[in-house]
Amino acid sequence: MKNLNFAAELHLKVGAPASGTVESLRLLRAFLKLAPRQRFEVIKLVEDLATEEALSEHPLS
């Protein structure tokens, strides 16, 4: 932020963001820089990992 007074006032009003929030914003920014095809691949990978994790938590036998 270029306006340090604004940043200081905002910090006083809402506090500092959690480190997880900052990391999420960094990941979002990186995701938005990807080409559409790459975004699709990332989404598919995350969906596959989430499904795989859900299956391993609840085995069928």
Side-chain angles (χ1 to χ4, degrees):
M1 249 180 216
K2 302 214 184 254
N3 186 339
L4 295 179
N5 288 334
F6 175 76
E9 288 176 23
L10 187 62
H11 179 59
L12 287 174
K13 288 181 182 176
V14 297
S19 61
T21 302
V22 173
E23 185 62 24
S24 294
L25 290 172
R26 286 183 183 137
L27 289 170
L28 178 60
R29 187 182 324 158
F31 179 79
L32 293 174
K33 288 181 181 179
L34 295 173
R37 177 70 187 160
Q38 291 173 314
R39 290 181 193 172
F40 174 81
E41 291 173 359
V42 169
I43 292 170
K44 179 73 173 132
L45 173 66
V46 171
E47 288 174 341
D48 290 348
L49 290 172
T51 303
E52 186 177 296
E53 187 176 295
L55 290 175
S56 67
E57 288 178 5
H58 305 288
L60 297 175
S61 56

